Amino acid sequence: MNSYLDKFNDSIKNTIFFKLPPESQEFIKEKSMLLKFSFSEIKQIVDITRDLEMWNEQSIMEIFPQHDQKKVVFTRLKKAYEDLRSKPNSYENFELKNIPKEQKYTFKTADKEGFGLGLCPVASEKTRCCNLLTLDAVESCGFDCSYCSIQSFYNQNTITFDSGFKDKLLNLQLDQNKTYHIGTGQASDSLMFGNREGVLDALFEFARTNPNVILEFKTKSDNIKYFLENDVPKNILCTWSMNTTTIIENEEHLAASLDKRIRSARKVADKGVKVGFHFHPIVEYDGYLQEYKEVYDRLINEFALDEVALVSFGTLTFIKPVIKKLRDREFRSKITQMPLEDASGKSSYPDSTKVEMFKHAYESFAPWHGKVFFYLCMEEHHMWAKTFGYQYSTNNDFERAMLSSYANKLDMQYLI
Ligand code: SF4
């Protein structure tokens, strides 16, 4: 019995080896038999092979070093892979593959235990955070953004509504002498399912009966029908996640186009609803600064200062489960093809890249400085001073500054 073959077969068991193209499988096996790679080296080679395929870059066969010493081969292979990972990204010749053309999911209504209201799931003391409260009106999302962490939490084929949502919400006891900021766009998209199961009816009623709550609907959709057909309480904010057309077309699958998002925000603002824009994630690729600038300029040209409550910036941060989930899926994405550095336990761009993209974004909105609230989402404390020239010393200071600015724009009393 060939003991290394047994070892090899054992090594590939808990990897995505069998999801690789047959010719790549054959190649890895042949090279492993020849060079006797260890379990961990085989696992890494399998992940490298998958990433190259996902990024639409050269194949493992094309970058595999020619040498007869395992150590030399593995070192050179890792180097070639890291060079491809760190080179500036380009979507120019990028060919999408296995991208969902339509939303495929089923709806489920269940009596959910508990109530999905809590601190923002990605908030941390390691980052400067706004203490947002998130409300999970719906579980899972029908869009398919490659970088999204929701996909690692929920089954994407089932959209779940809580049959007890309305009662739980309207029975919520809040301190009437305090201003709250509650967002509904974390566990799903706030508007893509409209008023299904009466979710928007319940949320609007909640806003009406809790005038001390700033209720934010965050979306990538153009489904604003309910907002246009109903009276919108003044303590409601409607905000869009924005990106360039390059990223929307290549990484934010099934979500509304840039034009549709801007037009929807325009229509909602025309109704007197305060709007906002989240540039999160800003993604680095060839020519990205210019393409983002065009979007920033469009917003400055198409919206008046007093219509816009906020603009936020953020970028890609990955947790291991999301990277594993991405490799598991047999589609193309360039979203993980980036120089990854540790960022408070997650992986993200080097600080120098972040400073470049955030300073560029903030400076592009100079006409709105001091009149619209700008913030960084999920970023480390020091990034604020480097981006804005100022920073908050605590998350509570950040929250106070944000809520008093929003309350002022919404013509509400700010209650501390
Ligand atoms: S800054 Fe971003 S991550 Fe932090 S609490 Fe606010 S929304 Fe959540």
Side-chain angles (χ1 to χ4, degrees), residues 154-206:
Y154 300 121
N155 162 354
Q156 276 203 298
N157 303 325
T158 308
I159 309 296
T160 307
F161 290 80
D162 179 358
S163 54
F165 177 71
K166 182 176 179 187
D167 295 339
K168 290 171 189 171
L169 185 60
L170 299 183
N171 291 327
L172 197 58
Q173 301 302 317
L174 296 174
D175 174 351
Q176 296 303 310
N177 300 312
K178 183 179 180 307
T179 298
Y180 294 84
H181 177 208
I182 298 177
T184 67
Q186 264 66 25
S188 182
D189 185 276
S190 297
L191 297 185
M192 73 174 296
F193 303 116
N195 189 34
R196 194 181 185 97
E197 301 286 335
V199 164
L200 297 183
D201 286 339
L203 288 164
F204 273 44
E205 182 56 22
F206 171 69

Side-chain angles (χ1 to χ4, degrees), residues 119-124 127-132 134 186 218 280 375-379 398 402:
L119 192 60
C120 169
V122 285
S124 122
T127 52
R128 182 53 68 231
C129 268
C130 69
N131 298 336
L132 172 74
T134 57
Q186 264 66 25
K218 189 165 86 170
H280 194 177
Y375 70 97
L376 292 178
C377 179
M378 222 158 81
E379 285 301 329
F398 174 13
M402 174 189 270

